[in-house]
Amino acid sequence: MPGLKILVDSLEQIEPLNQEARAAILSADCVVRSYAAGRYVLRENDRADFIGIAIEGFAFSHKQTSSGSRQILSLILPGEALALENIYLNQLDCSIQALTTFSVGLIHRDAMKRFMMLHPTIANGISTMLAYRSSIYKEWMLNIGRRNAKERVGHLLCEIAVRLTGGNTTADRSFKFPLTQEQIGDALGLTAAHVNRAMKSLRNEGLLIREKTLFRLPEWDALCVLADFNDEYLTNE
Amino acid sequence: MPGLKILVDSLEQIEPLNQEARAAILSADCVVRSYAAGRYVLRENDRADFIGIAIEGFAFSHKQTSSGSRQILSLILPGEALALENIYLNQLDCSIQALTTFSVGLIHRDAMKRFMMLHPTIANGISTMLAYRSSIYKEWMLNIGRRNAKERVGHLLCEIAVRLTGGNTTADRSFKFPLTQEQIGDALGLTAAHVNRAMKSLRNEGLLIREKTLFRLPEWDALCVLADFNDEYLTNE
DNA sequence: AAAGTGCATAGACATATGTCATGTCCCCAG
DNA sequence: CTGGGGACATGACATATGTCTATGCACTTT
């Protein structure tokens, strides 16, 4: 049950669990599923039956307008929980789709509810994760609503760098992440063509080097200034 | 303690509370404060000491870029809770400002934490409120990122109409709400000038009538279609 | 009544971003 | 090794949105 172990670890990072709480989670039913890139993990308006723990690979959540344009709402990285709202809502309010081959542990919401009723520390941890995610939503709203294309792209790259590498920063802040320019655009409220222009400009200024899915941010401090990036919204200290 | 009564009522709408849970909340320390329009209720990066219950008047939360442009993140209506994230974060991740004369009941986060540890139904209710708010964040992200100005304005007006009047719809879906065009722009990632253009266009099409702070939406169905508005994200059924 | 303030309106113009078409490269299926 | 599809790159052009300026109206303050 790799998913359950990951969940316990994330919860313990927020607040220590007592023996019973830990045991309760570890005994849960957890189905591990694997999805090819592009496949739907959960769909908007489905019944909100499961929450998930990302085990390996990447996913993202999104919504669409009736005319079909897509807005990516969040990126889901290994170790992160997804669709926690399902514990509280009856219908999914967004879809979740695999970005790469993606394996996820699914736990039934009713099981989670039971654990949370019996163990307040679990309830507290789950809600804290929801609050962390909310902080990111808020920063994204600011990014999409109030920054120009170059700043938006830079900001997103900074966020991914921090979220992927945590504190363990490589010298040139490099990371592998398989987003296409179209997906970057969908996350930022831009078109792929314009993302291309913005990235070209960042490249010309020496702020970004890209080799396929490998991104390098050789001038971290300069990029943070340009993109108005400050990682406080990710650390929540 | 009007704030506490309101909080109990909102929680009970989510899930019935038992006698002890209700009594616990009603016995809480709750400071009622009143703010003139424009005053800050809570500031980003402040210590996250309090959550609030909006008693009367309106408020909004927002973030700013370093260059000073402001993004309004949410509107806070009477009866709604605000800054619930403070229970889980140590620092505020956005500011909250009064939109009109605004009175709010403030409860210390530690008190809330205590109630939630003792009464799982309270924890469940608070988290459900967080999840409701998240649903709105997601729809706003879609609105800001993927709809044009006219759709955005229409969508926001539809949302306010539904949230203010609930199901009790007046014939012409009219409501009083004191947003200036600049504030509408800040909520939608637009400039005031462009909001003006969008509203003019809605007016010309007979979809909007405005008299000071009174908005009328005489062609509700047509406006919903134009603005791609669907209230599911507000009802969470 | 006069002056001042805040907001809505409007037009001219600037610019950021979108749209579309094309070409290249590279990887993978055959 | 070969053909085709996907992603990236780039340029010409269209358009949505921003910027700036000016005006008028309703209110408040004096």
Side-chain angles (χ1 to χ4, degrees), chain B residues 186-219:
Chain B
D186 283 350
L188 297 174
L190 297 168
T191 55
H194 204 60
V195 170
N196 188 290
R197 285 193 276 256
M199 289 181 67
K200 175 179 176 179
S201 165
L202 291 173
R203 211 186 314 132
N204 288 341
E205 294 179 32
L207 299 174
L208 167 65
I209 299 167
R210 187 176 187 187
E211 297 148 6
K212 304 189 189 175
T213 67
L214 178 68
F215 293 81
R216 295 179 194 277
L217 310 176
E219 302 282 349

